[in-house]
Amino acid sequence: MKLLALGAAAVAVAALALTSGTASADDLPAFDFTGCPAPPTNADPGTWRCEAFVSQGKLTIDGREVPLGESRLTFSEGKVNGQYAQVFGALRHAPVTVPDLAGTTLQLHYGGYSDFQSDAERRGELDVYATLRHPLLRKGCTLGVLHTVVHDDPAVPPTVLSKNPPTMHFGVVDPDLALPATHGCGVLGPLVDRRLGLPSPSGANAFHQTTYVQYKQL
């Protein structure tokens, strides 16, 4: 689920012309920078900033759509000895109801790997996993870790909403996400897999996300 409007790090806000789109400065959410990690001790002075993302996403599994609601992510980036560096901050996601699984919720968590430096091939990469909760499921029921690689979504092009503070809106998509079967769910695990269509190979799934991001100098 290459969650989150990744890779805005490599996009220089000042270099982007204002793009037409549906988002406007009036739509801005409240950004939270409390999860921003501090720069490393050997960071180049004056080069570091924190990025705070507020995203709305959905996951499609073999034709079944799972609305993911809002997620929030922070990370810091800058230079160390003249080279680009980044430090992950936090991923926050409230549990959402899973369609076709009455009483079941899904919550996303950071999976231990991120790379938000964009290149010509993709916007960024992120590992996440999901916990599934239901009174009849074993505690520790999970889906993933999922390695997500997101690309720009042509339907939601980057839009500069403010230059002070730097604020953008854009969309990303991962059309190649592969999803494994669930793990640790107990005797009902096979039922959950059948209801969700898991495992599901690359090409049968898609992750879409629209994101607001704001930057703060550190």
Side-chain angles (χ1 to χ4, degrees):
M1 304 169 184
K2 190 99 196 161
L3 221 355
L4 309 174
L6 307 175
V11 180
V13 173
L16 286 174
L18 185 63
T19 305
S20 60
T22 57
S24 71
D26 294 334
D27 301 322
L28 290 181
F31 294 95
D32 183 2
F33 291 91
T34 57
C36 293
T41 55
N42 57 343
D44 294 355
T47 65
W48 280 75
R49 68 181 182 183
C50 181
E51 302 192 18
F53 296 83
V54 182
S55 305
Q56 293 284 335
K58 65 178 181 179
L59 177 65
T60 303
I61 308 173
D62 194 24
R64 300 173 179 85
E65 185 173 299
V66 180
L68 296 174
E70 181 182 278
S71 62
R72 289 175 175 261
L73 182 147
T74 53
F75 80 98
S76 297
E77 63 173 357
K79 291 185 176 181
V80 174
N81 297 324
Q83 300 297 315
Y84 177 81
Q86 54 189 296
V87 180
F88 185 81
L91 170 62
R92 298 185 177 96
H93 178 247
V96 295
T97 301
V98 181
D100 299 325
L101 286 173
T104 304
T105 62
L106 177 150
Q107 184 176 19
L108 298 173
H109 310 271
Y110 179 52
Y113 173 80
S114 62
D115 182 0
F116 301 135
Q117 186 175 25
S118 301
D119 58 31
E121 299 300 323
R122 87 290 188 271
R123 172 71 71 170
E125 303 182 26
L126 180 70
D127 281 1
V128 299
Y129 69 94
T131 53
L132 295 167
R133 297 184 179 93
H134 184 279
L136 299 180
L137 290 177
R138 182 184 297 170
K139 185 177 180 180
C141 177
T142 61
L143 173 62
V145 173
L146 311 173
H147 180 66
T148 63
V149 181
V150 293
H151 311 268
D152 288 323
D153 185 350
V156 190
T159 303
V160 178
L161 302 177
S162 171
K163 292 186 177 181
N164 186 24
T167 309
M168 291 179 61
H169 178 260
F170 59 93
V172 292
V173 58
D174 179 359
D176 302 314
L177 180 65
L179 299 172
T182 57
H183 175 75
C185 299
V187 295
L188 293 182
L191 173 61
V192 173
D193 289 339
R194 286 197 299 273
R195 290 287 182 88
L196 292 180
L198 301 173
S200 188
S202 175
N205 318 298
F207 172 77
H208 288 84
Q209 191 171 35
T210 58
T211 295
Y212 292 91
V213 59
Q214 191 169 95
Y215 306 83
K216 178 182 178 182
Q217 290 300 125
L218 297 176

